[in-house]
Amino acid sequence: MSLAFDLLLAVALLWSGGRCLSVDRLDRAIVLFIAFGLLMALAWARLAAPDIGLAEAAIGAGLTGALLLDAYGAFKRRKP
């Protein structure tokens, strides 16, 4: 069961990372980036590094994701 979960997590990481880089809309790429950060935090927790997982979730998915969404909103408002 544990091996199956780890394989599913690895596939989800690869899929979300690849989709984040290849998607055509910027807003979808930002949402996929946030999902990738949360999956990465889960992977760090599975690797027995919960401190790095918490930092990844807080900084990678939370703070950076919020800043990217805010910048995207400001860019969309500014664009004619």
Side-chain angles (χ1 to χ4, degrees):
M1 181 71 177
S2 177
L3 179 64
F5 182 74
D6 290 342
L7 288 175
L8 182 66
L9 182 61
V11 168
L13 276 168
L14 290 172
W15 179 82
S16 64
R19 279 295 286 165
C20 183
L21 293 175
S22 66
V23 73
D24 55 349
R25 291 182 51 187
L26 189 57
D27 55 345
R28 289 184 184 171
I30 293 170
V31 171
L32 283 168
F33 176 79
I34 293 169
F36 179 79
L38 292 174
L39 287 171
M40 185 60 77
L42 185 59
W44 280 118
R46 292 287 298 160
L47 290 171
D51 51 344
I52 299 174
L54 285 172
E56 175 68 35
I59 298 168
L63 183 63
T64 307
L67 288 173
L68 284 172
L69 284 173
D70 184 50
Y72 177 71
F75 176 71
K76 231 179 150 176
R77 284 188 303 269
R78 188 174 178 185
K79 194 174 177 183

